[in-house]
Amino acid sequence: MQVTLLGTGDTTGTPTVGCECETCQRAKEPDDELLERAREQGATITAGGGVERTRFSVHIYNERTDETLLVDLSPDFRQQFLREEVPLPDEAIISHIHFDHLDGLGNCFRLIEDLDVHAANETDPETGKSVAETVQSDYHYLDQIEVRPQTPLESFEACGFEVTLVPVDHPPLVCYGLVVEDPETGAKLALSGDTSYDIPEASRDVLADPDLLLADGIVPAQLCEYHPMGGAHHDDDGTPRTFGTKHMTREGALSLAEDLDATETRLVHIAHYYSADEAFEQPLALDGERYQL
């Protein structure tokens, strides 16, 4: 299982369009120290000589079957695939219907002949539709895709992997993390999805003991003071593990990794609100990182 982090940023990415903050400027014009660290992480240096976090997407290649599974289709789909030179997907999974995880699906037009798109079949009280039904209705014009509704917490096969969608907490919409396992090697990749720290126990049981955990860690906990709703799910020291209601803090994501006994953890869905001194430190991921499981 070869895992490539195509997109590791939040809704606006880093650098953010029109932003002149120190973090975005450093991403565009990194110093030698940052460039060396990025290369050590396996991150991709852009054509302009910078580093970046485009919108979230993960490329998973099955070397046994020569198939590619794509988790979420970023609006930056074209840029990501040109930059990383990885194979186009044979199948895909949509975690939830926010645009930064879904809007890249339109790129299938004239690029991909057939694509099975897996998504949860649970009805969302907020929309009256499941994720699968929303994908089907919003992209009805794409003859190339076949939506495959899946029941959360029940495994299904995709690209030779065993995949399980797990409910997480990303109000007001339903949202799912997932586990991808190789049935022959036992390699296990877990993705938290966009979520608060309040992940149900049944989902945590499925996510547990991964070789690699990709966990939503949008901002450091100290920034909760600037969120209108503050922070939530505080630890014993009073540190918020949730930023507002929808995403984990860095500290929450690392707490989750400890809870799940993850062998290795990378934080994703990262905002440009991290300070320039923190934004490019491990375990925060950068686009282009590759992992062999």
Side-chain angles (χ1 to χ4, degrees):
M1 184 190 302
Q2 186 181 80
V3 180
T4 302
L5 308 187
L6 296 181
T8 58
D10 71 337
T11 307
T12 65
T14 303
T16 291
V17 173
C19 181
E20 297 182 359
C21 78
E22 187 178 353
T23 298
C24 288
Q25 295 308 307
R26 192 175 182 207
K28 287 187 280 190
E29 298 180 358
D31 53 35
D32 291 342
E33 179 186 354
L34 175 52
L35 284 174
E36 181 179 357
R37 187 183 311 128
R39 292 189 179 102
E40 288 175 354
Q41 292 178 209
T44 299
I45 308 304
T46 68
V51 295
E52 62 184 346
R53 292 187 174 109
T54 56
R55 273 72 68 88
F56 183 80
S57 187
V58 178
H59 185 278
I60 308 168
Y61 177 63
N62 189 332
E63 295 158 302
R64 291 186 295 99
T65 65
D66 191 30
E67 293 176 296
T68 292
L69 178 64
L70 188 63
V71 179
D72 287 342
L73 285 95
S74 164
D76 302 307
F77 181 105
R78 179 179 180 275
Q79 173 187 353
Q80 292 170 346
F81 276 83
L82 286 173
R83 185 190 64 202
E84 300 304 329
E85 298 183 332
V86 288
L88 287 166
D90 298 289
E91 300 185 56
I93 299 169
I94 301 296
S95 65
H96 65 299
I97 61 170
H98 281 156
F99 90 98
D100 53 325
H101 296 257
L102 174 60
D103 278 12
L105 190 55
N107 285 274
C108 293
F109 183 68
R110 293 174 61 186
L111 286 184
I112 300 171
E113 290 186 5
D114 297 291
L115 184 71
D116 283 350
V117 179
H118 304 275
N121 62 5
E122 287 184 317
T123 300
D124 188 336
E126 187 73 18
T127 66
K129 295 180 180 179
S130 66
V131 175
E133 289 170 330
T134 298
V135 174
Q136 183 67 66
S137 61
D138 287 3
Y139 292 90
H140 61 88
Y141 60 90
L142 284 178
D143 295 335
Q144 294 88 349
I145 71 168
E146 183 71 33
V147 178
R148 304 289 185 187
Q150 302 293 347
T151 301
L153 300 175
E154 292 185 8
S155 296
F156 59 93
E157 190 275 335
C159 294
F161 297 122
E162 291 180 358
V163 180
T164 310
L165 290 166
V166 298
V168 292
D169 181 50
H170 190 54
L173 300 175
V174 294
C175 185
Y176 304 88
L178 65 144
V179 167
V180 181
E181 296 182 87
D182 188 317
E184 293 200 12
T185 67
K188 181 174 181 178
L189 169 68
L191 298 88
S192 74
D194 285 16
T195 184
S196 79
Y197 182 73
D198 192 26
I199 298 173
E201 284 302 319
S203 297
R204 287 172 176 254
D205 289 343
V206 177
L207 292 166
D209 302 313
D211 297 296
L212 176 63
L213 171 67
L214 303 179
D216 170 10
I218 192 166
V219 296
Q222 69 262 26
L223 294 188
C224 289
E225 65 177 294
Y226 300 106
H227 193 289
M229 301 188 70
H233 308 120
H234 298 74
D235 65 16
D236 292 340
D237 295 325
T239 302
R241 291 178 287 198
T242 295
F243 178 65
T245 62
K246 296 184 179 184
H247 296 277
M248 287 187 288
T249 61
R250 171 184 56 198
E251 290 78 1
L254 294 176
S255 291
L256 177 68
E258 185 176 353
D259 296 343
L260 299 179
D261 197 21
T263 301
E264 185 166 6
T265 302
R266 305 302 287 157
L267 304 193
V268 294
H269 211 275
I270 302 299
H272 69 125
Y273 298 117
Y274 277 88
S275 71
D277 291 335
E278 298 177 295
F280 306 105
E281 296 286 342
Q282 294 201 37
L284 277 64
L286 285 166
D287 286 14
E289 295 184 21
R290 284 180 167 84
Y291 296 88
Q292 191 73 36
L293 305 185

